[in-house]
Amino acid sequence: YVCESSRKDVLAVYDASGTLRLFDTEQRKELLLLNPEEHGATSEKWCAFLGEDRFVYFNKNQKVSVYNYRENRMEAEFERDVNAMGMWTDVKGNYLVIKENSNLYTIYGGQTLEKIGEMMNSEMGYGETMLSDGRFAYIASIRGDDLKVISRVLCVWDLNTAQMLLKYEFGDAFVTEMKELDDVLYVFSAIYSDLFMTAISLVDGEKLLETVLEGQYPEEGGLYLREDSENILCITADCLYTVSRDSGKAKMVSGKGDTVLSVLESGTDDYFLFFDNGDLYLLLPERMVLYDVRDQFACVTKENSKISFTREGIWVLATKDNHITFYGTEC
């Protein structure tokens, strides 16, 4: 796996040998190298960037390590539950949340690393998402006596007070993704062969709108919001849609074949789409056109698992490969 800092200038790379390393994409140098005996961050959820200078990870001693990679020093270390399942941070580095087990989350102040409080839930949570203004969301799976899931409930907490702010029930639908914009949480959920895009107010928990995309299933990471657009880009396994943030009206823009790995905003309402086969397309939703612009980006690998953008250019992680390829941009 690969995860990146908020500035996208440092990558955390975990490879098949069990080695975890930090790599500075601007200076092209390694900042930290941990062999399998030195860490326990074998999952992407078991490490995170905290602010613009620290990296947090589970180590082999049942502890959480906080490493300051700007100053090249271990900043802190504290205990974690033997069954700890993940960690999350906010973009500004103000909060660190550790999932101690399926029912308990511990909240730490990002600057002091002191414990602020705990979030307890009676049901197992998944899909954890750090929101703005010190809020945290997850989906609780409510089970019956036979342990089968009978309902899924969105839970939003205030990290400062460790109090639950709101709940919203999705019933049988399986929630796959959540993203926030302007105090509204946009949620992808699926049931049978239909995809739902639901907008929920983070102020009072009310449903603002809901759009059904019949016969579709969400693509992982297929929900894209932008502040300068009235429309939401929704990417399903088969198609590209835009959904109005005001009316909820959906418009199918284009069909698609391969998986979209990354999206870059272009102008007003337009996007560059990078596919897992290395192809680059320009999506013009208003014209309902998907332009082939592969002449602007010659990707040398045809099976890729991640593509991202940095200040210096583009990095690509090929599938079943031991190299990350960097592409510079021309001025």
Side-chain angles (χ1 to χ4, degrees), residues 207-218:
K207 180 171 70 175
L208 302 178
L209 59 86
E210 185 169 78
T211 300
V212 183
L213 303 178
E214 297 181 353
Q216 297 295 318
Y217 195 81

Side-chain angles (χ1 to χ4, degrees), residues 153-192:
V153 180
L154 164 69
C155 302
V156 179
W157 289 71
D158 184 329
L159 296 179
N160 294 294
T161 62
Q163 298 294 317
M164 188 177 292
L165 296 173
L166 62 90
K167 285 186 175 182
Y168 183 90
E169 187 168 347
F170 283 91
D172 293 341
F174 181 76
V175 176
T176 64
E177 187 176 3
M178 300 183 286
K179 286 189 177 177
E180 171 198 13
L181 181 62
D182 296 336
D183 269 338
V184 177
L185 192 63
Y186 297 88
V187 183
F188 259 177
S189 62
I191 182 170
Y192 304 113

Side-chain angles (χ1 to χ4, degrees), residues 134-260:
R135 294 175 294 199
F136 186 78
Y138 62 80
I139 302 299
S141 299
I142 311 300
R143 300 177 184 272
D145 295 336
D146 58 359
L147 299 182
K148 290 185 178 180
V149 176
I150 58 176
S151 181
R152 296 179 178 88
V153 180
L154 164 69
C155 302
V156 179
W157 289 71
D158 184 329
L159 296 179
N160 294 294
T161 62
Q163 298 294 317
M164 188 177 292
L165 296 173
L166 62 90
K167 285 186 175 182
Y168 183 90
E169 187 168 347
F170 283 91
D172 293 341
F174 181 76
V175 176
T176 64
E177 187 176 3
M178 300 183 286
K179 286 189 177 177
E180 171 198 13
L181 181 62
D182 296 336
D183 269 338
V184 177
L185 192 63
Y186 297 88
V187 183
F188 259 177
S189 62
I191 182 170
Y192 304 113
S193 61
D194 292 334
L195 169 61
F196 298 82
M197 200 289 296
T198 308
I200 302 166
S201 169
L202 287 171
V203 177
D204 55 20
E206 293 297 315
K207 180 171 70 175
L208 302 178
L209 59 86
E210 185 169 78
T211 300
V212 183
L213 303 178
E214 297 181 353
Q216 297 295 318
Y217 195 81
E219 184 165 278
E220 184 178 355
L223 188 59
Y224 291 91
L225 312 174
R226 51 191 296 181
E227 294 182 355
D228 61 349
S229 176
E230 186 269 338
N231 293 312
I232 302 166
L233 175 62
C234 296
I235 302 177
T236 74
D238 302 311
C239 302
L240 303 170
Y241 291 85
T242 56
V243 176
S244 169
R245 290 169 57 191
D246 292 330
S247 67
K249 183 178 180 180
K251 178 176 71 175
M252 192 188 82
V253 178
S254 174
K256 57 174 279 291
D258 296 282
T259 300
V260 176

Side-chain angles (χ1 to χ4, degrees), residues 1-2 11-13 23 25 306 314-318 321-327:
Y1 65 81
V2 176
L11 302 180
V13 182
F23 186 80
T25 62
K306 282 200 173 184
I314 302 167
W315 64 261
V316 178
L317 176 64
D321 195 0
N322 63 346
H323 293 86
I324 292 179
T325 305
F326 287 88
Y327 298 84

